[in-house]
Amino acid sequence: MTAAANEAPLWQPGPDRIAAAAVTRFQSWASQHYGAPAEGGYPALHQWSVTELDTFWRAVADWFDVRFSTPYETVLADRAMPGAQWFPGATLNYAEHALRTAEDPLRADAPALLHVDETHTQIPVSWSELRRRVGSLAAELRALGVTPGDRVSGYLPNIPEAVVAFLATAAVGGVWTFCAPDFGARSVLDRFQQVEPVVLFTVDGYRYGGKEHHRADTVAELRRELPTLRAVVHIPLLGTEAPEGALEWSALTCADTEPVFEQVPFDHPLWVLYSSGTTGLPKAIVQSQGGILLEHFKQIGLHCDLGPEDRFFWYTSTGWMMWNFLVSGLLTGTTLVLYDGSPGYPDVSAQWRVAEQTGATLFGTSAAYVMACRKAGIHPGRDFDLSRIQCVATTGSPLPPDGFRWLHDEVDDDLWIASVSGGTDVCSCFAGAVPTLPVHIGELQAPCLGTDLRSWDPAGEPLIGEVGELVVTAPMPSMPIRFWNDPDGSRYHDSYFDMYPGVWRHGDWITITEHGSVVIHGRSDSTLNRQGVRMGSADIYEAVERLPEIRESLVIGLEEPDGGYWMPLFVHLAEGARLDDALRDSIKRTIRENLSPRHVPDEVIEVPGIPHTLTGKRIEVPVKRLLQGTALAKAVNPGSIDNLELLHFYEDLARKRH
């Protein structure tokens, strides 16, 4: 549901804001030094950034003063996908850039991190203290024999210790990987056993929803099942003693040691992230020090418009790539807000309370949280001092039009709303925030710089104003350098390049509008296709979940053996609601009036809950496989689901249908 090209935008940046934006200053500078267009604003800059890809990324490295300890030979030696070779010959270190604000005597004592937990106690960590802790821990990692390329793992929540452990790992050239402590042992082992870590940083438990959750037994199982571990480091978040043989965090971070930054090749692995793993072992996605450094400088410094005066709060867990993205706020000298706790404790206003308390200037959250706030009828702009917030950004799923309107009405009518979309696969955004462009309801502002984003039909022809596959036709520096344990690259190739050879197909349905914005319609691998017309599930969710009786929904399209097509809508009802004929009629009427008769489901079925991945995304494909008769053990990886019990409903339904 896109805005018409002539419809007035919901928000328009004023001339002062446009002039002050970093992307405006970058364009002016790049026009003088690198031939970028001086006129035409962001659309002209984006066109230049994808047609002159090498020059654009050279300009980004120059603008952000990337420190190459060994100079690069060329920007892009090979444009092939997969297999693009960026900045060959160059050496650098990500952690050195993340900590260089500490070198500024005027900023050394300013906060680099603000840690907040459910008690709303705020604990700052200064730039100089962060650098000191990283230096101390990096020296200890070297003493433990950690060398470049060794994997270092964390089983940690969103706390300062996680940032320190990651940066120390990057400083020595190690490869960071971690999971949130709400992951069970099997889920963690499905990930860590693939990469064989030599060190494990772990907490004894965590606090969530006002309760303590102890993890000693899980940690003991991880130690037993990870034979490559040389050391385990205990962080006593709940105050327990270190288990036998574990090292104490405080003993490793107490020295006053200047960090030594290992200079590694541009494509040296920085971290391993994991796909949700709903249908098998999670993909172990490897991204490079240099690729992430440049991509995140661009995203955070130009698209998010963050600098030294800003405070960057994104509600995330350590099981989501947004944690990695958040930590890269350090690159631009920005203070990070690390919130460790439930998104809705003690009430649904919790995240707004953190934003007020910390003076956040960019507040990032999920579309689901915004819609939950809307349903709860809260008034953040009235009840909290949010005057410092310049931007509210959302991801995880498309922000429905009603979410845009609610933020505009209930937070601030002069609010930059940035719905963004990307993925763990690139640890970045394909489309989203641009501080100098208008915001249209239900739309992402534009494709990101250096991202040759297109909407293609099945034959590989570009589409404007029509739904197509999200493709990227030129390499991005943060695309995976490989998957772990994928020696011939076949799994990597099949994940993104099987449909359009040499072109990244992400697996989302999108529309690129005539005014250059982007609309996300949902995953293309769970696409609804009725009578040859493709429909996005996100559009149906947005319409249905406006109804106060509907807590959440899930729609599936099934091709029947007889050539028919069955499209059920599963609804999780709000407390006190009842799925009677009146509500069924209301649901179908809402879908018909807001979308089309073709979008109306064949059946509306009440369910006890909607299953999600551990990072909170609705799992459409495994449910579809269950309904097609696939056994539960083959349809889904149980360690990737937030509540496996919910899947038994769909399994039983499939049994009755077959």
Side-chain angles (χ1 to χ4, degrees):
M1 298 194 296
T2 69
N6 59 356
E7 184 177 317
L10 181 69
W11 176 81
Q12 178 81 48
D16 291 347
R17 187 159 191 166
I18 292 172
V23 71
T24 302
R25 291 181 280 114
F26 171 78
Q27 182 166 1
S28 175
W29 172 87
S31 71
Q32 298 172 31
H33 295 86
Y34 286 97
E39 305 295 329
Y42 183 85
L45 181 65
H46 180 267
Q47 183 61 36
W48 172 78
S49 77
V50 295
T51 55
E52 303 294 336
L53 195 65
D54 303 43
T55 308
F56 167 72
W57 285 109
R58 182 182 289 115
V60 169
D62 194 1
W63 173 259
F64 288 105
D65 189 25
V66 172
R67 298 176 180 175
F68 295 104
S69 51
T70 307
Y72 54 90
E73 298 155 10
T74 185
V75 173
L76 189 52
D78 187 346
R79 294 174 65 103
M81 289 193 291
Q85 294 179 22
W86 290 95
F87 292 87
T91 57
L92 43 61
N93 188 280
Y94 171 98
E96 181 177 3
H97 292 80
L99 291 169
R100 66 182 177 186
T101 295
E103 300 169 10
D104 180 354
L106 298 177
R107 297 289 318 286
D109 294 328
L113 312 175
L114 292 174
H115 175 230
V116 183
D117 62 16
E118 289 183 345
T119 68
H120 288 264
T121 303
Q122 190 176 157
I123 301 173
V125 179
S126 70
W127 284 97
S128 58
E129 177 63 12
L130 178 62
R131 184 179 173 91
R132 186 200 64 73
R133 292 184 196 177
V134 170
S136 178
L137 185 57
E140 295 289 350
L141 288 175
R142 287 188 172 97
L144 290 169
V146 177
T147 58
D150 283 345
R151 277 75 63 208
V152 175
S153 57
Y155 187 54
L156 305 171
N158 188 13
I159 54 177
E161 290 87 343
V163 178
V164 172
F166 158 57
L167 291 176
T169 299
V172 305
V175 184
W176 178 248
T177 190
F178 75 156
C179 292
D182 57 341
F183 283 28
R186 187 67 262 158
S187 297
V188 178
L189 291 170
D190 280 349
R191 291 156 173 79
F192 288 177
Q193 283 178 335
Q194 294 188 63
V195 301
E196 301 177 310
V198 299
V199 176
L200 172 65
F201 290 93
T202 179
V203 287
D204 51 356
Y206 63 99
R207 297 180 180 90
Y208 188 91
K211 299 177 182 177
E212 290 190 349
H213 302 265
H214 290 264
R215 280 291 180 260
D217 291 346
T218 305
V219 171
E221 185 173 349
L222 298 182
R223 294 179 71 178
R224 285 194 305 271
E225 298 296 328
L226 293 171
T228 53
L229 290 178
R230 299 179 206 149
V232 174
V233 180
H234 175 76
I235 299 169
L237 198 63
L238 302 184
T240 65
E241 295 291 322
E244 185 178 351
L247 302 172
E248 286 281 8
W249 171 266
S250 57
L252 303 184
T253 55
C254 60
D256 189 3
T257 306
E258 184 67 18
V260 176
F261 301 107
E262 190 78 25
Q263 300 302 305
V264 297
F266 189 91
D267 63 356
H268 185 82
L270 174 63
W271 54 46
V272 179
L273 302 179
Y274 302 95
S275 67
S276 56
T278 49
T279 56
L281 272 184
K283 298 190 289 272
I285 300 166
V286 187
Q287 288 151 347
S288 70
Q289 287 229 12
I292 289 294
L293 181 69
L294 260 71
E295 179 66 30
H296 285 185
F297 261 134
K298 177 204 76 177
Q299 283 290 348
I300 289 162
L302 299 180
H303 286 283
C304 296
D305 202 27
L306 292 174
E309 302 307 313
D310 288 296
R311 294 192 168 184
F312 184 19
F313 168 40
W314 203 298
Y315 178 80
T316 181
S317 82
T318 52
W320 191 20
M321 57 138 289
M322 289 310 302
W323 184 89
N324 304 67
F325 189 87
L326 171 65
V327 171
S328 282
L330 296 171
L331 297 173
T332 53
T334 303
T335 299
L336 309 185
V337 177
L338 308 177
Y339 177 61
D340 175 30
S342 165
Y345 180 84
D347 54 53
V348 75
S349 295
Q351 294 185 40
W352 300 108
R353 198 171 289 115
V354 174
E356 174 190 54
Q357 177 186 350
T358 59
T361 55
L362 190 155
F363 168 36
T365 187
S366 66
Y369 178 71
V370 172
M371 300 310 288
C373 290
R374 176 181 174 273
K375 280 209 167 179
I378 66 167
H379 307 281
R382 181 193 72 188
D383 297 339
F384 301 98
D385 178 4
L386 304 176
S387 57
R388 292 206 68 209
I389 292 181
Q390 299 295 305
C391 176
V392 172
T394 68
T395 192
S397 59
L399 181 65
D402 282 350
F404 281 79
R405 295 186 187 97
W406 183 85
L407 287 169
H408 178 268
D409 294 344
E410 293 292 350
V411 179
D412 190 346
D413 60 7
D414 185 23
L415 179 68
W416 173 24
I417 302 167
S419 177
V420 306
S421 182
T424 301
D425 322 73
V426 293
C427 198
S428 188
C429 307
F430 297 122
V434 182
T436 57
L437 289 181
V439 172
H440 289 271
I441 290 174
E443 301 176 9
L444 286 65
Q445 288 175 283
C448 295
L449 295 171
T451 305
D452 200 355
L453 182 72
R454 310 285 179 91
S455 173
W456 275 11
D457 70 10
E461 295 297 321
L463 300 168
I464 297 294
E466 296 181 48
V467 178
E469 289 273 0
L470 187 164
V471 300
V472 182
T473 63
M476 295 166 57
S478 65
M479 285 176 176
I481 48 176
R482 64 178 186 276
F483 289 170
W484 208 269
N485 291 335
D486 181 28
D488 63 356
S490 58
R491 197 177 184 204
Y492 183 18
H493 176 275
D494 293 348
S495 295
Y496 312 111
F497 303 103
D498 61 339
M499 182 177 236
Y500 305 109
V503 171
W504 177 288
R505 169 186 170 262
H506 193 62
D508 281 341
W509 288 125
I510 67 166
T511 298
I512 296 179
T513 71
E514 292 181 358
H515 52 267
S517 65
V518 178
V519 179
I520 307 289
H521 301 283
R523 294 293 295 171
S524 60
D525 51 12
S526 57
T527 302
L528 309 170
N529 191 332
R530 256 189 176 163
Q531 301 163 345
V533 176
R534 296 171 299 191
M535 302 177 291
S537 57
D539 297 331
I540 294 176
Y541 300 148
E542 187 274 322
V544 171
E545 291 168 17
R546 288 181 181 181
L547 298 171
E549 298 91 344
I550 308 301
R551 186 178 299 178
E552 197 175 16
S553 57
L554 184 77
V555 66
I556 301 294
L558 284 179
E559 299 78 9
E560 304 274 46
D562 62 0
Y565 192 77
W566 183 54
M567 194 172 100
L569 175 71
F570 301 102
V571 292
H572 183 203
L573 299 182
E575 190 172 347
R578 191 165 65 89
L579 185 60
D580 53 17
D581 288 344
L583 181 53
R584 283 191 174 90
D585 290 345
S586 177
I587 290 169
K588 292 182 177 183
R589 185 173 61 253
T590 297
I591 294 172
R592 184 181 294 108
E593 291 174 356
N594 284 276
L595 298 168
S596 77
R598 195 176 274 113
H599 287 78
V600 175
D602 297 306
E603 286 186 68
V604 180
I605 301 170
E606 183 181 353
V607 293
I610 303 297
H612 304 85
T613 67
L614 292 174
T615 53
K617 295 185 178 180
R618 291 175 245 227
I619 58 162
E620 297 170 339
V621 174
V623 169
K624 180 175 179 176
R625 291 180 178 178
L626 284 174
L627 294 176
Q628 289 170 325
T630 305
L632 180 61
K634 292 186 177 179
V636 66
N637 175 4
S640 69
I641 306 302
D642 62 351
N643 185 347
L644 194 64
E645 291 301 310
L646 294 176
L647 291 178
H648 294 309
F649 174 90
Y650 303 94
E651 190 180 31
D652 292 342
L653 178 61
R655 202 173 289 121
K656 291 171 186 172
R657 294 191 74 243
H658 290 282

